[in-house]
Amino acid sequence: MKESVHQAAISEPDTWTAADLPIWAKQISRKHLIAAMRAAEPDLLPVEKGTKESAEPVWTIALTDDAPLSYKPNSARSVTDYGAKGDGVHNDEPAIMKAILQEDTIYFPKGQYGIGSTLLLRGLNQKKFVFHPEAKLVHLRMAEGSLLQLHHCKALTFYNLSVHALCRSAPNAILVMRSDHVDFLGITQIECSSARSFVIGGASHTITIETLIMNHSTAAEGLALLSCNNITVGTLVRTGG
């Protein structure tokens, strides 16, 4: 796996409808909070009067109530265009890395994208990762290490990132080290059995997490902040464990 990737300035696609405002410039609304809670515990909150259930989960509109995210900009190619299967069986890590090398906006359609070891993002600059509400990164059987690691990255944005890291030998599910100006927007969901869910450290700074839902299958730590600063978390929900 190459540890350096092509870096290019990114221009905002015309089809984005989500306002690119930092979290501190917005407020988490009651409606957004209820959507986050319902995503974590579907039976915890009833459907509000006057709303209709649809084929999509209730958390598909994530960024703000008035500016929903367009999940696939017309200009974005998906990881399946680079050979990813999204079936939860094949190792999609090489295909995902190919997409990262070529694209500034990487889109993940509905599916489960198998990671055989660790999806290591090193030295990335100005990239967007957009996940369909029913897309997730999953550790394949017998995988070891963190599912997702960021090292020396800058100006990355993840929309509706979802990871399924049920690997007991992994020290954490997501690790962010020596990175800055990284935004996790929409609803970030982590299901894991590792010692920690989400670790930010190594002098990382200016990290924004809009809504974080952590589901532990065992008693484990949640969000760990180690030697970092300027971390903003809008809504934090923990279930299980």
Side-chain angles (χ1 to χ4, degrees):
M1 179 188 303
K2 295 184 178 179
E3 293 189 349
S4 61
V5 301
H6 173 70
Q7 299 180 5
I10 187 168
S11 58
E12 193 70 28
D14 294 337
T15 53
W16 288 109
T17 58
D20 256 346
L21 292 176
I23 187 65
W24 53 86
K26 301 182 290 184
Q27 291 184 346
I28 300 295
S29 68
R30 177 177 177 274
K31 179 179 177 182
H32 190 180
L33 177 59
I34 290 174
M37 294 293 291
R38 190 177 293 125
E41 295 286 352
D43 298 328
L44 183 63
L45 294 171
V47 177
E48 293 187 16
K49 184 178 180 179
T51 62
K52 294 181 178 180
E53 295 286 50
S54 65
E56 293 288 354
V58 295
W59 41 269
T60 55
I61 296 177
L63 290 183
T64 65
D65 295 331
D66 298 324
L69 174 65
S70 295
Y71 289 108
K72 185 180 180 182
N74 292 333
S75 58
R77 298 183 65 190
S78 74
V79 293
T80 57
D81 294 328
Y82 290 88
K85 303 295 184 183
D87 57 7
V89 177
H90 291 84
N91 183 8
D92 289 325
E93 187 178 336
I96 292 171
M97 293 306 298
K98 288 180 183 178
I100 293 172
L101 286 170
Q102 298 296 325
E103 305 293 333
D104 291 324
T105 299
I106 301 94
Y107 175 65
F108 292 78
K110 177 180 177 180
Q112 298 187 19
Y113 297 90
I115 304 299
S117 55
T118 296
L119 184 60
L120 175 60
L121 308 183
R122 185 185 296 274
L124 289 185
N125 185 21
Q126 295 186 328
K127 298 278 187 178
K128 283 184 169 66
F129 297 81
V130 181
F131 288 77
H132 182 278
E134 295 182 50
K136 66 175 63 177
L137 302 177
V138 299
H139 249 158
L140 295 178
R141 188 175 182 181
M142 306 305 292
E144 296 182 355
S146 305
L147 191 152
L148 175 64
Q149 288 190 19
L150 279 62
H151 289 264
H152 297 88
C153 293
K154 184 175 182 179
L156 300 188
T157 303
F158 294 84
Y159 291 97
N160 290 337
L161 171 65
S162 179
V163 302
H164 188 87
L166 297 180
C167 174
R168 295 185 181 277
S169 62
N172 43 67
I174 300 176
L175 175 64
V176 178
M177 297 290 289
R178 300 189 180 278
S179 299
D180 63 273
H181 292 86
V182 179
D183 295 330
F184 296 87
L185 302 182
I187 297 178
T188 301
Q189 297 191 85
I190 300 175
E191 185 172 3
C192 73
S193 56
S194 56
R196 292 168 171 164
S197 288
F198 199 148
V199 177
I200 302 175
S204 294
H205 67 87
T206 317
I207 311 295
T208 297
I209 305 173
E210 191 168 22
T211 300
L212 177 60
I213 299 174
M214 297 174 293
N215 181 22
H216 299 292
S217 61
T218 60
E221 294 183 34
L223 178 62
L225 306 179
L226 310 173
S227 301
C228 55
N229 61 79
N230 197 19
I231 311 299
T232 303
V233 181
T235 304
L236 183 63
V237 179
R238 175 171 172 170
T239 64

